[in-house]
Amino acid sequence: MRQRPVLDVSSLPDFAFGPRSTMWWGTLGFCALEGTGFAIAAGAYLYLAWLNPQWPLSAPPPALTWSSLFTVLLVASAVPNWLVQRAARRQDLRAVRLWMVVMSLIPLALMALRAAEFPALMVRWDVNAYGSIVWLLLGLHTLHLVTDAADTWVLTALMFTGHVVGKRYSDVSDNAFYWNFVVASWLPIYGLLYWAPRLA
Amino acid sequence: MNVPPRRHAIEELTDTGLDAKTLSRMLADTWGTRPGLMGALTAVDHKIIGRRYIVTAFMFLCLAGLAAVVMRVQLARPESRVVGPDLYDQLFTMHGTTMMFLFAVPVMEAFAVYLVPLMVGTRNIAFPRLNAFSYYVYLFGGLMIWVAFALNAGADTGWFAYVPLSGPENSPGKRVDLWAQMITFTEVAALAVSVEIIVTVLKLRAPGMTLDRIPLAVWSQLVTAFAVLFAMPAVMIASTMLIMDRLVGTHFFNHAEGGDALLWQHLFWFFGHPEVYIIFLPATGFVSSIVVTFSRRPIFFYVGMVAALVATAFLAFGLWVHHMFATGVPQLGSSLFTASSMLIAIPSGLQIFCWIATLWSGRPVYTTALLFVLGFLINFVAGGVTGVMLASVPLDTQVHDTYFVVAHFHYVLIGGAVFPLLGAVYYWFPKFTGRLLDERLGRWHAATAFVGFNLAFFPMHILGLMGMPRRVYTYQPEMGWGPLNMLSSVGAAIFFVSFVMLLWNVVASLRNGAVAGPNPWDAGTLEWATTSPPAPQNFDRIPVVTHREPLWAERDALPVATGLRVGVREVLVTTATDATPDIRETAPTPSIWPLISAILTAIAFIGSIFTPWAVLWGGVPVGAALIAWFWPKGDPEDY
């Protein structure tokens, strides 16, 4: 078919931030589907809680110490996460490196707290359905924590080696966006696992 | 410290001043897949992956179809001894599982993978390496469960694997574990494709393709991808719970320890009902494409059609409990789910009327593709009518788990999705291969399929009303079900022959079919603006869209955009609603890492059936492979 040029796109930039880039939308897609997974698992928790006359089933509610420390640190991590995102948008390599290192270390502390949290649940997964669903929810969130931590480490390595180009800043920004999802998805789970049994 | 490699002059060259031949050659070089084995294993071209997806899905159709043939031979006469009860259980489970998870959903996504980038006017799907990965994961999952079947470890608890039958006490052995892990494989694949399709449609549309100029086939794939995104996680969570109950002693479905068997049904059908629409909605897209092209006019009431797609997808999430009426749902709940189940007939009905109106007011050309669509209209309406009947609780409880239900869902799934799919095969085969399928044989195929299908499945309505339950391996002569079962089996044989005719047509036409040219049907959408089969770059210059049927509006010359680089894989990213050009993004190059990652993922998934620790020792290599996948290797596209 004959062609009739009507538009020149050569002057367009070769990367952009946020919703202008494809990677941001891909990340959003995965947040949506993983968020649905969390919602479904939380729904299963509520369904089982509603079905059983006693909840939690023959176990005390999980201890608050480690999980609350975890929650405080996780929420606090939103600040350096915001700073890394801002630095990326300014393409400020020094600041990006600094805050990426911070954001690489925070998940290590979080994982240590999480490791302490599992025994503090006061119930094993194979004791009853309550134990099973609690371990499932916590396991699901831990999976997200670990994957985004690994992603952050790789990106940090890239920002310290010879791979720094414009679109890498966009990747840093999208990674920070995903971390916000890891933070935000924890809060309802925290409320459900640790506070709902106490308030009910 | 390293610095990113400097760009060479060739990498900066844009298409602006190049003559057509040079441009086409250079782009094919940049976007091409290397010949040979390595080229095949590293391919990321959506057309190559899409073709593999389609062929693989049809292979699974063939296997599941053969399982059905054996069942129909067994059921043709009362007290038949062709297969015993254990093998029969495996056969109906493998049939349903394969048709739903390995054929119907993947084949619709396969068409999306191939067609959506072409129809929106871009050069590759978004995240093409993820696309390759998803294909391999799907393939490995399908192979796993069929190899297991060959080793007499085929799943045997039905395609929805209800607990407690599928639980650790009633189904010892590995059969159900393999089934549950097959779910994980196929859902990972389907979810990945859905994200790719969403991003391709939202961000890679040709300039000017505003929301109201998106072809209905693409709208249907977009809406379907969203439905996948919100439905499939439910079955992944459910199958994970099931396998954990079986392998590590959790109690999600164990009543004695506070679990609940109906939790499985809720989770499964929260996925399972949208699943039906995940299969049906892409088929409506095929129907719209075929109806428009062969009516020689744009669709009647485009906005209503889009609204109907969106409404159907929304309502699909509010129907799942109608699969559970027999479990004793509270009355208010029953009424609600009855109402919503009936409500979904409205957007479907609207679409039917719009297609009829388009045909009525057009100048229809009765090609084989359109004949299949006409068959669809009749069969699907029949299935829809029994669907509305089943939405009513008293009738549903009466015919629950009988052949009436079997008849109903085969009418909606085969009538509603396979007939349009077969039409789509005739319609797009020339684009895929460059050759037309034989129309004369095609008409015979369509007629045989229509007759065979109705003979096979219509008697099942009556058998169901006579009380024949589904999933029985045989029945006594006194029941009086023999003659109708024989009729049904004869119909199934005729339906099977129709697929042999299709196979023959495909094989013969690949060799000697008429050469198609770019646009054999004089269709209006962008996939017909390029060669058949399309060059690796799809389009030499990205089209600029001015109309809903761009090729009908611009008959003299296609308006195009210039200024993309030719020596580097570059795609044009546009804004989500108005499709105004926004950035030029580089696109990933071929890579072996998606295949390696998929192999390692398969090892971890299959290993976890035998030891839960495989999640850990299997997960580490997967993580390493993913890092290798994303690590820049020095291609200009990486920078």
Side-chain angles (χ1 to χ4, degrees), chain A residues 99-125:
Chain A
W99 294 115
M100 282 299 273
V101 170
V102 173
M103 285 310 293
S104 297
L105 295 175
I106 287 176
L108 287 175
L110 287 169
M111 282 181 216
L113 288 169
R114 181 53 62 81
E117 203 176 322
F118 276 98
L121 289 175
M122 321 271 209
V123 66
R124 271 169 57 103
W125 66 89

PDB file of all heavy atoms in Angstrom, chain A residues 99-125:
ATOM      1  N   TRP A  99      20.126   6.873  47.882  1.00  0.00           N
ATOM      2  CA  TRP A  99      18.837   6.364  48.366  1.00  0.00           C
ATOM      3  C   TRP A  99      18.571   4.937  47.901  1.00  0.00           C
ATOM      4  O   TRP A  99      17.855   4.193  48.573  1.00  0.00           O
ATOM      5  CB  TRP A  99      17.700   7.310  47.965  1.00  0.00           C
ATOM      6  CG  TRP A  99      17.821   8.632  48.667  1.00  0.00           C
ATOM      7  CD1 TRP A  99      18.063   9.847  48.099  1.00  0.00           C
ATOM      8  CD2 TRP A  99      17.768   8.855  50.079  1.00  0.00           C
ATOM      9  NE1 TRP A  99      18.162  10.821  49.056  1.00  0.00           N
ATOM     10  CE2 TRP A  99      17.982  10.249  50.287  1.00  0.00           C
ATOM     11  CE3 TRP A  99      17.575   8.042  51.191  1.00  0.00           C
ATOM     12  CZ2 TRP A  99      17.995  10.824  51.556  1.00  0.00           C
ATOM     13  CZ3 TRP A  99      17.587   8.612  52.449  1.00  0.00           C
ATOM     14  CH2 TRP A  99      17.796   9.984  52.627  1.00  0.00           C
ATOM     15  N   MET A 100      19.168   4.553  46.780  1.00  0.00           N
ATOM     16  CA  MET A 100      19.033   3.150  46.371  1.00  0.00           C
ATOM     17  C   MET A 100      19.759   2.238  47.356  1.00  0.00           C
ATOM     18  O   MET A 100      19.279   1.135  47.657  1.00  0.00           O
ATOM     19  CB  MET A 100      19.592   2.930  44.958  1.00  0.00           C
ATOM     20  CG  MET A 100      18.673   3.389  43.841  1.00  0.00           C
ATOM     21  SD  MET A 100      17.095   2.529  43.809  1.00  0.00           S
ATOM     22  CE  MET A 100      17.486   1.100  42.817  1.00  0.00           C
ATOM     23  N   VAL A 101      20.910   2.691  47.851  1.00  0.00           N
ATOM     24  CA  VAL A 101      21.617   1.887  48.856  1.00  0.00           C
ATOM     25  C   VAL A 101      20.749   1.768  50.108  1.00  0.00           C
ATOM     26  O   VAL A 101      20.569   0.673  50.660  1.00  0.00           O
ATOM     27  CB  VAL A 101      22.996   2.505  49.181  1.00  0.00           C
ATOM     28  CG1 VAL A 101      23.604   1.815  50.393  1.00  0.00           C
ATOM     29  CG2 VAL A 101      23.921   2.388  47.982  1.00  0.00           C
ATOM     30  N   VAL A 102      20.167   2.896  50.508  1.00  0.00           N
ATOM     31  CA  VAL A 102      19.280   2.858  51.680  1.00  0.00           C
ATOM     32  C   VAL A 102      18.120   1.896  51.417  1.00  0.00           C
ATOM     33  O   VAL A 102      17.791   1.043  52.263  1.00  0.00           O
ATOM     34  CB  VAL A 102      18.758   4.281  52.003  1.00  0.00           C
ATOM     35  CG1 VAL A 102      17.700   4.229  53.098  1.00  0.00           C
ATOM     36  CG2 VAL A 102      19.914   5.181  52.404  1.00  0.00           C
ATOM     37  N   MET A 103      17.531   2.002  50.234  1.00  0.00           N
ATOM     38  CA  MET A 103      16.375   1.151  49.925  1.00  0.00           C
ATOM     39  C   MET A 103      16.771  -0.308  49.722  1.00  0.00           C
ATOM     40  O   MET A 103      15.921  -1.190  49.707  1.00  0.00           O
ATOM     41  CB  MET A 103      15.641   1.677  48.685  1.00  0.00           C
ATOM     42  CG  MET A 103      14.800   2.916  48.922  1.00  0.00           C
ATOM     43  SD  MET A 103      13.677   2.771  50.344  1.00  0.00           S
ATOM     44  CE  MET A 103      12.531   1.528  49.780  1.00  0.00           C
ATOM     45  N   SER A 104      18.075  -0.564  49.517  1.00  0.00           N
ATOM     46  CA  SER A 104      18.539  -1.953  49.444  1.00  0.00           C
ATOM     47  C   SER A 104      18.729  -2.536  50.832  1.00  0.00           C
ATOM     48  O   SER A 104      18.588  -3.752  51.024  1.00  0.00           O
ATOM     49  CB  SER A 104      19.878  -2.033  48.701  1.00  0.00           C
ATOM     50  OG  SER A 104      19.706  -1.607  47.380  1.00  0.00           O
ATOM     51  N   LEU A 105      19.079  -1.667  51.777  1.00  0.00           N
ATOM     52  CA  LEU A 105      19.345  -2.156  53.134  1.00  0.00           C
ATOM     53  C   LEU A 105      18.052  -2.359  53.926  1.00  0.00           C
ATOM     54  O   LEU A 105      17.930  -3.304  54.704  1.00  0.00           O
ATOM     55  CB  LEU A 105      20.262  -1.184  53.868  1.00  0.00           C
ATOM     56  CG  LEU A 105      21.677  -1.070  53.263  1.00  0.00           C
ATOM     57  CD1 LEU A 105      22.491   0.002  53.978  1.00  0.00           C
ATOM     58  CD2 LEU A 105      22.396  -2.419  53.313  1.00  0.00           C
ATOM     59  N   ILE A 106      17.092  -1.468  53.718  1.00  0.00           N
ATOM     60  CA  ILE A 106      15.843  -1.552  54.494  1.00  0.00           C
ATOM     61  C   ILE A 106      15.184  -2.930  54.377  1.00  0.00           C
ATOM     62  O   ILE A 106      14.788  -3.517  55.390  1.00  0.00           O
ATOM     63  CB  ILE A 106      14.883  -0.411  54.100  1.00  0.00           C
ATOM     64  CG1 ILE A 106      15.422   0.904  54.673  1.00  0.00           C
ATOM     65  CG2 ILE A 106      13.470  -0.666  54.595  1.00  0.00           C
ATOM     66  CD1 ILE A 106      14.620   2.130  54.276  1.00  0.00           C
ATOM     67  N   PRO A 107      15.059  -3.495  53.165  1.00  0.00           N
ATOM     68  CA  PRO A 107      14.422  -4.817  53.090  1.00  0.00           C
ATOM     69  C   PRO A 107      15.163  -5.876  53.904  1.00  0.00           C
ATOM     70  O   PRO A 107      14.524  -6.820  54.394  1.00  0.00           O
ATOM     71  CB  PRO A 107      14.459  -5.162  51.603  1.00  0.00           C
ATOM     72  CG  PRO A 107      14.579  -3.862  50.913  1.00  0.00           C
ATOM     73  CD  PRO A 107      15.354  -2.960  51.824  1.00  0.00           C
ATOM     74  N   LEU A 108      16.495  -5.726  54.057  1.00  0.00           N
ATOM     75  CA  LEU A 108      17.226  -6.707  54.867  1.00  0.00           C
ATOM     76  C   LEU A 108      16.725  -6.677  56.307  1.00  0.00           C
ATOM     77  O   LEU A 108      16.438  -7.717  56.904  1.00  0.00           O
ATOM     78  CB  LEU A 108      18.726  -6.409  54.828  1.00  0.00           C
ATOM     79  CG  LEU A 108      19.432  -6.732  53.506  1.00  0.00           C
ATOM     80  CD1 LEU A 108      20.884  -6.271  53.573  1.00  0.00           C
ATOM     81  CD2 LEU A 108      19.360  -8.237  53.230  1.00  0.00           C
ATOM     82  N   ALA A 109      16.597  -5.449  56.850  1.00  0.00           N
ATOM     83  CA  ALA A 109      16.069  -5.312  58.209  1.00  0.00           C
ATOM     84  C   ALA A 109      14.641  -5.842  58.284  1.00  0.00           C
ATOM     85  O   ALA A 109      14.255  -6.537  59.233  1.00  0.00           O
ATOM     86  CB  ALA A 109      16.112  -3.847  58.622  1.00  0.00           C
ATOM     87  N   LEU A 110      13.864  -5.540  57.231  1.00  0.00           N
ATOM     88  CA  LEU A 110      12.468  -6.008  57.214  1.00  0.00           C
ATOM     89  C   LEU A 110      12.402  -7.528  57.199  1.00  0.00           C
ATOM     90  O   LEU A 110      11.571  -8.142  57.874  1.00  0.00           O
ATOM     91  CB  LEU A 110      11.741  -5.431  56.007  1.00  0.00           C
ATOM     92  CG  LEU A 110      11.400  -3.937  56.092  1.00  0.00           C
ATOM     93  CD1 LEU A 110      10.926  -3.418  54.746  1.00  0.00           C
ATOM     94  CD2 LEU A 110      10.318  -3.695  57.156  1.00  0.00           C
ATOM     95  N   MET A 111      13.301  -8.140  56.420  1.00  0.00           N
ATOM     96  CA  MET A 111      13.292  -9.606  56.354  1.00  0.00           C
ATOM     97  C   MET A 111      13.670 -10.212  57.699  1.00  0.00           C
ATOM     98  O   MET A 111      13.110 -11.244  58.094  1.00  0.00           O
ATOM     99  CB  MET A 111      14.247 -10.090  55.268  1.00  0.00           C
ATOM    100  CG  MET A 111      13.695  -9.952  53.871  1.00  0.00           C
ATOM    101  SD  MET A 111      14.901 -10.589  52.691  1.00  0.00           S
ATOM    102  CE  MET A 111      14.662  -9.473  51.350  1.00  0.00           C
ATOM    103  N   ALA A 112      14.608  -9.567  58.399  1.00  0.00           N
ATOM    104  CA  ALA A 112      14.990 -10.066  59.730  1.00  0.00           C
ATOM    105  C   ALA A 112      13.783 -10.004  60.666  1.00  0.00           C
ATOM    106  O   ALA A 112      13.479 -10.963  61.393  1.00  0.00           O
ATOM    107  CB  ALA A 112      16.149  -9.247  60.274  1.00  0.00           C
ATOM    108  N   LEU A 113      13.064  -8.871  60.621  1.00  0.00           N
ATOM    109  CA  LEU A 113      11.865  -8.741  61.461  1.00  0.00           C
ATOM    110  C   LEU A 113      10.814  -9.772  61.075  1.00  0.00           C
ATOM    111  O   LEU A 113      10.144 -10.359  61.928  1.00  0.00           O
ATOM    112  CB  LEU A 113      11.285  -7.331  61.327  1.00  0.00           C
ATOM    113  CG  LEU A 113      12.084  -6.210  62.006  1.00  0.00           C
ATOM    114  CD1 LEU A 113      11.561  -4.849  61.579  1.00  0.00           C
ATOM    115  CD2 LEU A 113      11.985  -6.346  63.529  1.00  0.00           C
ATOM    116  N   ARG A 114      10.686  -9.989  59.760  1.00  0.00           N
ATOM    117  CA  ARG A 114       9.689 -10.954  59.290  1.00  0.00           C
ATOM    118  C   ARG A 114      10.039 -12.357  59.774  1.00  0.00           C
ATOM    119  O   ARG A 114       9.160 -13.141  60.161  1.00  0.00           O
ATOM    120  CB  ARG A 114       9.600 -10.873  57.765  1.00  0.00           C
ATOM    121  CG  ARG A 114       8.616 -11.780  57.063  1.00  0.00           C
ATOM    122  CD  ARG A 114       7.195 -11.706  57.573  1.00  0.00           C
ATOM    123  NE  ARG A 114       6.477 -10.440  57.478  1.00  0.00           N
ATOM    124  CZ  ARG A 114       5.875  -9.969  56.390  1.00  0.00           C
ATOM    125  NH1 ARG A 114       5.943 -10.606  55.258  1.00  0.00           N
ATOM    126  NH2 ARG A 114       5.214  -8.831  56.425  1.00  0.00           N
ATOM    127  N   ALA A 115      11.336 -12.663  59.762  1.00  0.00           N
ATOM    128  CA  ALA A 115      11.774 -13.988  60.227  1.00  0.00           C
ATOM    129  C   ALA A 115      11.387 -14.198  61.691  1.00  0.00           C
ATOM    130  O   ALA A 115      11.013 -15.294  62.093  1.00  0.00           O
ATOM    131  CB  ALA A 115      13.274 -14.145  60.035  1.00  0.00           C
ATOM    132  N   ALA A 116      11.459 -13.100  62.466  1.00  0.00           N
ATOM    133  CA  ALA A 116      11.077 -13.198  63.877  1.00  0.00           C
ATOM    134  C   ALA A 116       9.557 -13.301  64.031  1.00  0.00           C
ATOM    135  O   ALA A 116       9.048 -13.794  65.038  1.00  0.00           O
ATOM    136  CB  ALA A 116      11.592 -11.983  64.635  1.00  0.00           C
ATOM    137  N   GLU A 117       8.856 -12.810  63.021  1.00  0.00           N
ATOM    138  CA  GLU A 117       7.402 -12.706  63.102  1.00  0.00           C
ATOM    139  C   GLU A 117       6.706 -14.069  62.978  1.00  0.00           C
ATOM    140  O   GLU A 117       5.701 -14.318  63.643  1.00  0.00           O
ATOM    141  CB  GLU A 117       6.960 -11.794  61.962  1.00  0.00           C
ATOM    142  CG  GLU A 117       5.635 -11.118  62.135  1.00  0.00           C
ATOM    143  CD  GLU A 117       5.409 -10.180  60.955  1.00  0.00           C
ATOM    144  OE1 GLU A 117       6.375  -9.537  60.496  1.00  0.00           O
ATOM    145  OE2 GLU A 117       4.262 -10.119  60.494  1.00  0.00           O
ATOM    146  N   PHE A 118       7.255 -14.930  62.119  1.00  0.00           N
ATOM    147  CA  PHE A 118       6.584 -16.219  61.907  1.00  0.00           C
ATOM    148  C   PHE A 118       6.420 -17.015  63.203  1.00  0.00           C
ATOM    149  O   PHE A 118       5.310 -17.480  63.494  1.00  0.00           O
ATOM    150  CB  PHE A 118       7.322 -17.031  60.837  1.00  0.00           C
ATOM    151  CG  PHE A 118       6.919 -16.664  59.434  1.00  0.00           C
ATOM    152  CD1 PHE A 118       7.677 -15.792  58.667  1.00  0.00           C
ATOM    153  CD2 PHE A 118       5.750 -17.178  58.880  1.00  0.00           C
ATOM    154  CE1 PHE A 118       7.300 -15.450  57.385  1.00  0.00           C
ATOM    155  CE2 PHE A 118       5.361 -16.847  57.582  1.00  0.00           C
ATOM    156  CZ  PHE A 118       6.138 -15.968  56.835  1.00  0.00           C
ATOM    157  N   PRO A 119       7.496 -17.151  64.014  1.00  0.00           N
ATOM    158  CA  PRO A 119       7.299 -17.884  65.289  1.00  0.00           C
ATOM    159  C   PRO A 119       6.333 -17.163  66.225  1.00  0.00           C
ATOM    160  O   PRO A 119       5.636 -17.819  67.010  1.00  0.00           O
ATOM    161  CB  PRO A 119       8.695 -17.934  65.905  1.00  0.00           C
ATOM    162  CG  PRO A 119       9.648 -17.599  64.805  1.00  0.00           C
ATOM    163  CD  PRO A 119       8.909 -16.790  63.816  1.00  0.00           C
ATOM    164  N   ALA A 120       6.260 -15.830  66.117  1.00  0.00           N
ATOM    165  CA  ALA A 120       5.394 -15.070  67.017  1.00  0.00           C
ATOM    166  C   ALA A 120       3.916 -15.184  66.646  1.00  0.00           C
ATOM    167  O   ALA A 120       3.063 -14.598  67.305  1.00  0.00           O
ATOM    168  CB  ALA A 120       5.817 -13.597  67.014  1.00  0.00           C
ATOM    169  N   LEU A 121       3.633 -15.921  65.567  1.00  0.00           N
ATOM    170  CA  LEU A 121       2.228 -16.103  65.193  1.00  0.00           C
ATOM    171  C   LEU A 121       1.495 -16.980  66.196  1.00  0.00           C
ATOM    172  O   LEU A 121       0.269 -17.007  66.227  1.00  0.00           O
ATOM    173  CB  LEU A 121       2.124 -16.748  63.802  1.00  0.00           C
ATOM    174  CG  LEU A 121       2.523 -15.868  62.625  1.00  0.00           C
ATOM    175  CD1 LEU A 121       2.488 -16.676  61.340  1.00  0.00           C
ATOM    176  CD2 LEU A 121       1.580 -14.678  62.509  1.00  0.00           C
ATOM    177  N   MET A 122       2.243 -17.747  66.991  1.00  0.00           N
ATOM    178  CA  MET A 122       1.691 -18.625  68.034  1.00  0.00           C
ATOM    179  C   MET A 122       0.893 -19.776  67.464  1.00  0.00           C
ATOM    180  O   MET A 122       0.124 -20.423  68.184  1.00  0.00           O
ATOM    181  CB  MET A 122       0.744 -17.866  68.994  1.00  0.00           C
ATOM    182  CG  MET A 122       1.183 -16.502  69.350  1.00  0.00           C
ATOM    183  SD  MET A 122       2.215 -16.604  70.792  1.00  0.00           S
ATOM    184  CE  MET A 122       1.902 -15.021  71.526  1.00  0.00           C
ATOM    185  N   VAL A 123       1.025 -20.027  66.183  1.00  0.00           N
ATOM    186  CA  VAL A 123       0.273 -21.130  65.594  1.00  0.00           C
ATOM    187  C   VAL A 123       1.052 -21.617  64.374  1.00  0.00           C
ATOM    188  O   VAL A 123       1.687 -20.819  63.688  1.00  0.00           O
ATOM    189  CB  VAL A 123      -1.161 -20.686  65.216  1.00  0.00           C
ATOM    190  CG1 VAL A 123      -1.147 -19.648  64.111  1.00  0.00           C
ATOM    191  CG2 VAL A 123      -2.037 -21.863  64.830  1.00  0.00           C
ATOM    192  N   ARG A 124       1.050 -22.942  64.173  1.00  0.00           N
ATOM    193  CA  ARG A 124       1.683 -23.474  62.975  1.00  0.00           C
ATOM    194  C   ARG A 124       0.642 -23.608  61.873  1.00  0.00           C
ATOM    195  O   ARG A 124      -0.550 -23.686  62.131  1.00  0.00           O
ATOM    196  CB  ARG A 124       2.308 -24.833  63.274  1.00  0.00           C
ATOM    197  CG  ARG A 124       3.752 -24.773  63.768  1.00  0.00           C
ATOM    198  CD  ARG A 124       4.169 -26.139  64.285  1.00  0.00           C
ATOM    199  NE  ARG A 124       4.014 -27.175  63.253  1.00  0.00           N
ATOM    200  CZ  ARG A 124       5.050 -27.698  62.550  1.00  0.00           C
ATOM    201  NH1 ARG A 124       6.260 -27.270  62.772  1.00  0.00           N
ATOM    202  NH2 ARG A 124       4.838 -28.635  61.663  1.00  0.00           N
ATOM    203  N   TRP A 125       1.114 -23.679  60.610  1.00  0.00           N
ATOM    204  CA  TRP A 125       0.200 -23.781  59.472  1.00  0.00           C
ATOM    205  C   TRP A 125      -0.602 -25.072  59.468  1.00  0.00           C
ATOM    206  O   TRP A 125      -1.684 -25.133  58.909  1.00  0.00           O
ATOM    207  CB  TRP A 125       0.999 -23.662  58.166  1.00  0.00           C
ATOM    208  CG  TRP A 125       1.921 -24.818  57.959  1.00  0.00           C
ATOM    209  CD1 TRP A 125       1.624 -25.991  57.340  1.00  0.00           C
ATOM    210  CD2 TRP A 125       3.267 -24.929  58.407  1.00  0.00           C
ATOM    211  NE1 TRP A 125       2.704 -26.834  57.373  1.00  0.00           N
ATOM    212  CE2 TRP A 125       3.734 -26.212  58.021  1.00  0.00           C
ATOM    213  CE3 TRP A 125       4.149 -24.084  59.091  1.00  0.00           C
ATOM    214  CZ2 TRP A 125       5.016 -26.660  58.298  1.00  0.00           C
ATOM    215  CZ3 TRP A 125       5.425 -24.525  59.355  1.00  0.00           C
ATOM    216  CH2 TRP A 125       5.854 -25.803  58.970  1.00  0.00           C
TER     217      TRP A 125
END
